[in-house]
Amino acid sequence: MPETDLPQGLDGFEALLHAKANELVSVLAVGDVNSALDIVNDLQNVKHLAFYNEVGYLTRGLHEAIKSFSGDVPSDAREDSIQGMTDASDRLAYVMELTEKTSHETMDRVDKSLALVDKMDVQSGRFADLLSLVGQLESEFEGLRGVYDRTCQLKQESESTVAKLREELTGILVAQSYQDITGQLIRRVITLVTQVEGSLVQLMNMAAKVESISGLHVEGPTENKKQNAKKDPIEAEGPQLAGENNPEVVGNQDDVDDLLSSLGF
Amino acid sequence: MKKDIKILVVDDFSTMRRIIKNLLRDLGFNNVIEADDGKTALPILQQGGVQFLVTDWNMPGMTGIDLVRFVRADPKLASIPILMVTAEAKREQIIAAAQAGVNGYVIKPFTAAVLKEKIDKIFERIGS
């Protein structure tokens, strides 16, 4: 069947199927078996072509969608450093770079703040020396009565505030681990995007070939099948989502400790 | 516990290396060196002197689990205590790490208290 006869889309295929079916019934009614077999062959061909046409259509659509995703940032709105970032992988890599830089900036400030806290501790020591002097003077001056005790109490309160501040600053520091966690997840997505891109190019090449050839047997992506079969059960996967759908993943540190103690740790 | 021991922190994320290094400093450990994956950690370990190893699992080049296996297989390094700090949280992985010979396993994200507790525990066991 020439390619020009090929109906566009699955609706066209259905219409053609109806027409050919009627034709088949009418030739069989007059006993023309040869024509009937020709019609069956035509239907077979048209089925393949419709399928390949649809694959080609979807592939081109997907390619266009990806191209438009890459170009959806208006050029006049871009910073210098964003210009030229035309694909998703680059953008995700940029997110990792940016979060890493910002995390370090935050930690720089935490380090500076912790140094200030250390300084406050030293000042508190010097304050203690002065206080003991007040304590000695208190007995000599009536007006100073009770000042030593009250100041000591204030000093203790201040020291406990400084200790809490140190704890909070350490909390801010540890919270920067989000950059590692999100970075690992983003890296996996970058790998996926790169693989999809590669497969898409292959699919486009295949679609271009099958559009003009009918009856071709298309092999599945054997490389992926091989990869799945060889998957190592303990291969590093990065952060995983625990939950009912993922019973193999532990929920928290307590679960890790329980599991390890069951192993004699 | 001696505070001047040399500690090697292995993680491909510089943020995580810095966090662990700062928490170790809080615990009084100031002799901390870094490597960004198993491959760069190996020559540092082979030079000798490292007395405690803190490693991530998922790293390009050479993973943490391979590094643990390598250390445990080398008679000169086999006795170094190892703490694994990782986002890998599957039971199968934790069991595999235990079998490979880690002395402790902390999942990310962790708190300062958890990391301190695990490090203390490792040194307690070594001391006893």
Side-chain angles (χ1 to χ4, degrees), chain A residues 18-62:
Chain A
H18 273 295
K20 289 282 177 189
N22 287 334
E23 214 180 306
L24 184 64
V25 171
S26 55
V27 293
L28 281 176
V30 296
D32 185 356
V33 177
N34 278 342
S35 297
L37 286 174
D38 283 345
I39 291 168
V40 170
N41 273 339
D42 281 355
L43 280 172
Q44 195 70 11
N45 284 337
V46 92
K47 185 186 83 177
H48 282 134
L49 284 169
F51 170 73
Y52 292 130
N53 219 29
E54 198 67 12
V55 169
Y57 178 75
L58 288 173
T59 308
R60 279 190 297 273
L62 186 57

Side-chain angles (χ1 to χ4, degrees), chain B residues 8 18 25 29-30 35 39 51 54 99 102-103 112 116 118:
Chain B
L8 175 62
R18 187 167 171 185
R25 194 185 57 201
F29 299 104
N30 285 306
K39 229 178 217 170
Q51 288 159 287
V54 180
Q99 285 166 347
V102 299
N103 301 77
K116 285 173 184 175
K118 300 303 164 199

